[in-house]
């Protein structure tokens, strides 16, 4: 799963080598090996569906895993087939990601603007949208012009400003309400964004 999402075929090859080395070493029965292949096949299909992809774009329209296994009988054949399928899946997922980065960034932006008060991190949102955190961070900055953390901080400060203007909530209450865990960090970010402290901003507005 991890290797496919990150297009890391070196990692997936290493995992397969470990699996099949163990299969050979333990002299696993052919029936059990085939059951393992089916489990891996199901796992690959799950990853593809998570990206709203079509498994038949990788395996072909008429593919049937059970019919396929009836025609194969050696560990080498299974391993070579899985290597090819996983490499094809990596390429397919990569194509999906490349074709939809703008829509994903828009979804992430919408999510931040709606749930900015929650404990959000790039990693949690990357997991939520089935993206590698590093890759999501890169396309997020490319599309918005801001890093994930800077964007999140700005959204929180904008909402803090709204509450400072329209409510009598205390400064620390507003900090907590918009998602800041520490009051000192809130003051630091607020001043960086507005050039003023929250208290001074309220007094002047």
């Amino acid at each position: 799963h991890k290797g496919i999402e990150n297009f890391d075929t070196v990692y997936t090859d290493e995992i397969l080598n470990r699996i099949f080395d163990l299969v050979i070493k333990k002299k696993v029965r052919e029936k059990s090996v085939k059951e393992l292949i089916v489990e891996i096949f199901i796992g690959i299909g799950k990853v593809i569906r998570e990206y709203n992809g079509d498994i038949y774009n990788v395996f072909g329209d008429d593919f049937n895993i059970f019919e396929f296994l009836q025609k194969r009988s050696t560990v080498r054949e299974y391993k070579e087939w899985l290597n090819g399928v996983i490499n094809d899946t990596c390429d397919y997922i990569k194509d999906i990601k490349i074709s939809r980065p703008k829509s994903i960034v828009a979804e992430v932006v919408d999510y931040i603007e709606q749930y900015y008060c929650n404990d959000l991190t790039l990693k949690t949102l990357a997991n939520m949208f089935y993206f590698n955190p590093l890759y999501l961070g890169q396309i997020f900055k490319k599309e918005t012009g801001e890093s994930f953390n800077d964007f999140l901080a700005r959204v929180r400060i904008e909402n803090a400003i709204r509450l400072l203007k329209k409510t009598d909530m205390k400064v620390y209450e507003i900090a907590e309400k918009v998602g800041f865990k520490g009051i000192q960090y809130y003051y630091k970010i607020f001043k960086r964004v507005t050039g003023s402290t929250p208290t001074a901003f309220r007094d002047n507005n």
Side-chain angles (χ1 to χ4, degrees):
H1 198 298
K2 173 184 174 183
I4 291 174
E5 287 191 343
N6 297 340
F7 327 127
D8 190 349
T9 53
V10 173
Y11 175 81
T12 55
D13 286 348
E14 181 182 339
I15 295 299
L16 280 181
N17 285 334
R18 290 180 187 176
I19 290 173
F20 283 100
D21 284 348
L22 194 60
V23 165
I24 294 170
K25 184 178 180 180
K26 298 289 185 180
K27 297 180 180 179
V28 178
R29 292 180 306 160
E30 183 179 348
K31 180 182 177 182
S32 298
V33 175
K34 288 185 176 182
E35 289 173 351
L36 173 63
I37 301 296
V38 172
E39 286 184 23
I40 295 174
F41 170 76
I42 292 171
I44 292 171
K46 182 180 178 182
V47 174
I48 292 172
R49 285 191 295 274
E50 284 175 351
Y51 285 91
N52 296 317
D54 186 340
I55 63 171
Y56 295 109
N57 284 334
V58 175
F59 295 99
D61 292 337
D62 300 322
F63 183 78
N64 182 299
I65 185 64
F66 299 105
E67 291 179 1
F68 170 82
L69 290 175
Q70 287 178 354
K71 300 174 184 177
R72 304 291 190 280
S73 60
T74 68
V75 170
R76 181 179 178 181
E77 287 177 313
Y78 298 144
K79 184 179 176 182
E80 287 179 352
W81 176 76
L82 277 175
N83 264 321
V85 164
I86 289 174
N87 288 341
D88 289 345
T89 303
C90 286
D91 290 339
Y92 181 55
I93 297 298
K94 186 175 183 179
D95 288 342
I96 291 175
K97 286 185 174 183
I98 290 172
S99 67
R100 67 171 193 175
K102 288 187 178 180
S103 63
I104 285 298
V105 170
E107 288 182 41
V108 171
V109 166
D110 288 344
Y111 190 90
I112 291 172
E113 290 178 340
Q114 187 173 357
Y115 299 105
Y116 60 86
C117 55
N118 293 348
D119 184 16
L120 302 182
T121 66
L122 180 60
K123 185 176 181 179
T124 56
L125 265 70
N127 289 337
M128 187 178 302
F129 289 95
Y130 306 109
F131 263 68
N132 172 266
L134 179 61
Y135 180 72
L136 180 58
Q138 290 171 344
I139 62 172
F140 188 92
K141 186 164 187 178
K142 182 178 179 181
E143 295 300 324
T144 66
E146 295 178 278
S147 70
F148 172 85
N149 287 336
D150 286 347
F151 183 88
L152 175 59
R154 181 172 59 77
V155 170
R156 285 173 170 169
I157 294 301
E158 287 173 353
N159 282 278
I161 288 171
R162 176 177 56 81
L163 293 173
L164 284 168
K165 288 181 176 180
K166 296 185 176 182
T167 74
D168 294 324
M169 292 174 65
K170 297 183 183 300
V171 169
Y172 74 86
E173 291 175 333
I174 291 175
E176 291 177 358
K177 188 170 183 62
V178 299
F180 287 101
K181 290 185 176 180
I183 190 68
Q184 290 184 334
Y185 181 65
Y186 168 60
Y187 265 80
K188 177 182 176 181
I189 299 301
F190 194 98
K191 189 165 187 178
R192 189 179 76 188
V193 173
T194 68
S196 173
T197 66
T199 303
F201 182 89
R202 172 174 269 171
D203 291 342
N204 293 328
N205 288 273

